């Protein structure tokens, strides 16, 4: 069964697994531009788990524990900035990303008791599959 949860401090092993998954989630022609390829990224990632300007979510199979996806948001005033959303390559096209994004957005608004005016993200033009997905939601 598919579940989504907010990642928090104390989930270090899961955080490490997410950092590792980020290294292989993107097309190699563009992944070299991402900070998560840097050795210091794990340290940075763990430092933001309880930071009030970040919200991190993961989706998983509650029966097997398999990681399905991950999303990281940065909150800047009235703007939610989607830093990453990554779905296990095997599960792309199965609505995991859409469910993860929907759950995270609702949870962020509920916990902060605020309405955000804008969801901002960046996507590489070469990443046509992601671009197509963003335009469809």
């Amino acid at each position: 069964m598919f579940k989504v949860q907010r990642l928090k401090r104390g989930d270090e092993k899961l955080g490490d697994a997410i950092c590792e998954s980020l290294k292989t989630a993107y097309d190699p022609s563009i992944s070299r531009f991402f900070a998560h390829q840097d050795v210091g990224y794990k340290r940075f990632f763990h430092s933001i788990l309880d930071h009030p300007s970040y919200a991190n979510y993961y989706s998983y199979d509650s029966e097997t524990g398999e990681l399905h996806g991950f999303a990281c948001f940065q909150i800047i005033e009235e703007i939610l900035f989607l830093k990453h959303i990554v779905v296990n390559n095997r599960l792309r096209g199965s609505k995991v990303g859409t469910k993860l994004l929907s759950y995270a957005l609702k949870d962020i608004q509920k916990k902060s008791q605020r309405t955000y005016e804008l969801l901002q993200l960046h996507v590489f033009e070469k990443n046509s599959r992601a671009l197509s997905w963003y335009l469809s939601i």
Side-chain angles (χ1 to χ4, degrees), residues 123-125 127-137:
V123 63
F124 281 96
E125 193 173 354
N127 194 348
S128 58
R129 189 168 184 171
L131 185 58
S132 175
W133 179 70
Y134 291 128
L135 292 171
S136 76
I137 55 174

Side-chain angles (χ1 to χ4, degrees), residues 20-113:
E20 286 304 310
S21 73
L22 286 170
K23 289 181 180 178
T24 59
Y26 298 98
D27 182 303
S29 67
I30 59 173
S31 67
R32 62 192 164 100
F33 298 109
F34 299 147
H36 53 69
Q37 297 294 340
D38 183 68
V39 293
Y41 186 77
K42 275 187 189 179
R43 188 172 46 251
F44 166 76
F45 182 79
H46 287 289
S47 75
I48 66 169
L49 291 181
D50 288 332
H51 195 283
S53 295
Y54 286 87
N56 301 285
Y57 293 83
Y58 65 101
S59 60
Y60 65 101
D61 183 316
S62 61
E63 294 172 9
T64 66
E66 177 188 25
L67 181 63
H68 286 178
F70 162 73
C72 175
F73 298 85
Q74 185 175 16
I75 303 162
I76 305 170
E77 297 178 14
E78 301 300 316
I79 300 169
L80 284 176
F81 182 71
L82 179 60
K83 305 282 282 177
H84 303 290
I85 186 162
V86 178
V87 173
N88 180 319
N89 288 333
R90 189 177 55 73
L91 299 170
R92 289 186 181 165
S94 67
K95 303 287 184 203
V96 167
T98 303
K99 291 175 186 175
L100 174 59
L101 184 62
S102 176
Y103 177 93
L105 291 173
K106 287 176 189 172
D107 191 63
I108 290 168
Q109 295 225 9
K110 180 179 157 188
K111 283 185 173 26
S112 67
Q113 299 178 347

